[in-house]
């Protein structure tokens, strides 16, 4: 906890530096072992060096609606650095509707509360991921993906069994 608090304070001090006039945020939701998380990254330029900082992975205990994520996001950023709205110039996310919805998506809400025009980015790797998922699900009516998934589960179970038994 002390290390996390110290690092967050260092990030807040960097943001307060007069040389840092802009920041870009990138957010992405994910689930790990049944628990939803919202991952927040920040990109800033300081003394000619681009910093890509992982701020936090916040657990999501409520529904992953854009409003819940937005409220959590704003509360965290306000606690970290209250002037973030004046420096926000970029916001990127995956293409999920919760994130990019034009009326009530997270990015739309963040852009609305920023003091400057914000460049909205839809992450190219996520775009590629959506195309690959769609294409793979189309192979043999989705049976290829189902087989590959069940086979990987089987292989992980075998590795876990070998580890727990201490023998092959």
């Amino acid at each position: 906890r002390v290390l996390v608090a110290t690092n967050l304070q260092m990030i807040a001090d960097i943001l307060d530096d007069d040389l840092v006039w802009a920041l870009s945020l990138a957010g992405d939701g994910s689930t790990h072992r049944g628990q939803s998380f919202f991952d927040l990254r920040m990109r800033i330029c300081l003394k000619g060096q681009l910093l890509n900082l992982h701020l936090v992975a916040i657990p999501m205990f409520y529904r992953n609606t854009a409003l819940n994520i937005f409220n959590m996001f704003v509360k965290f950023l306000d606690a970290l650095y209250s002037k973030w709205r004046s420096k926000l110039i970029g916001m990127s996310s995956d293409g999920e509707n919760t994130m990019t919805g034009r009326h009530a998506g997270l990015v739309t809400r963040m852009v609305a509360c920023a003091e400057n025009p914000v460049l909205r980015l839809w992450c190219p790797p996520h775009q590629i991921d959506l195309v690959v998922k769609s294409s793979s699900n189309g192979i043999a009516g989705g049976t290829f993906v189902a087989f590959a998934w069940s086979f990987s589960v089987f292989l992980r179970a075998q590795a876990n069994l070998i580890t727990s038994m201490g023998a092959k």
Side-chain angles (χ1 to χ4, degrees):
R1 291 181 183 166
V2 172
L3 288 174
V4 171
T6 302
N7 284 320
L8 288 175
Q9 183 61 56
M10 288 172 58
I11 291 170
D13 292 343
I14 289 171
L15 287 172
D16 201 34
D17 191 311
D18 290 335
L19 295 175
V20 176
W21 59 271
L23 65 93
S24 176
L25 297 171
D28 190 15
S30 63
T31 302
H32 178 67
R33 295 188 180 197
Q35 175 63 56
S36 294
F37 287 89
F38 190 81
D39 189 46
L40 178 60
R41 302 187 74 82
M42 178 181 290
R43 293 176 183 99
I44 56 175
C45 184
L46 177 66
K47 298 178 183 173
Q49 191 172 26
L50 182 62
L51 303 176
N52 184 8
L53 307 171
H54 180 259
L55 290 178
V56 69
I58 303 174
M60 298 283 296
F61 298 109
Y62 306 105
R63 290 185 48 226
N64 295 352
T65 65
L67 180 60
N68 287 342
I69 297 170
F70 173 77
N71 289 335
M72 180 179 56
F73 210 10
V74 169
K75 184 184 273 189
F76 172 78
L77 289 171
D78 283 343
L80 178 69
Y81 181 67
S82 61
K83 300 176 194 167
W84 65 271
R85 288 173 183 82
S86 67
K87 294 187 178 190
L88 181 64
I89 64 164
M91 181 75 196
S92 64
S93 70
D94 60 7
E96 186 179 340
N97 191 44
T98 302
M99 301 297 285
T100 60
R102 68 177 191 191
H103 296 294
L106 173 67
V107 175
T108 303
R109 292 173 188 269
M110 294 299 293
V111 167
C113 76
E115 295 176 11
N116 300 303
V118 175
L119 177 63
R120 299 171 59 139
L121 300 171
W122 182 20
C123 181
H126 281 99
Q127 293 178 38
I128 293 168
D129 184 48
L130 293 173
V131 171
V132 169
K133 281 181 184 176
S134 174
S135 299
S136 355
N137 282 332
I139 298 172
T143 56
F144 171 75
V145 172
F147 172 77
W149 181 80
S150 62
F151 187 61
S152 70
V153 169
F154 172 77
L155 291 176
R156 277 195 312 264
Q158 293 303 307
N160 291 340
L161 179 63
I162 290 168
T163 301
S164 66
M165 292 176 57
K168 289 187 178 183

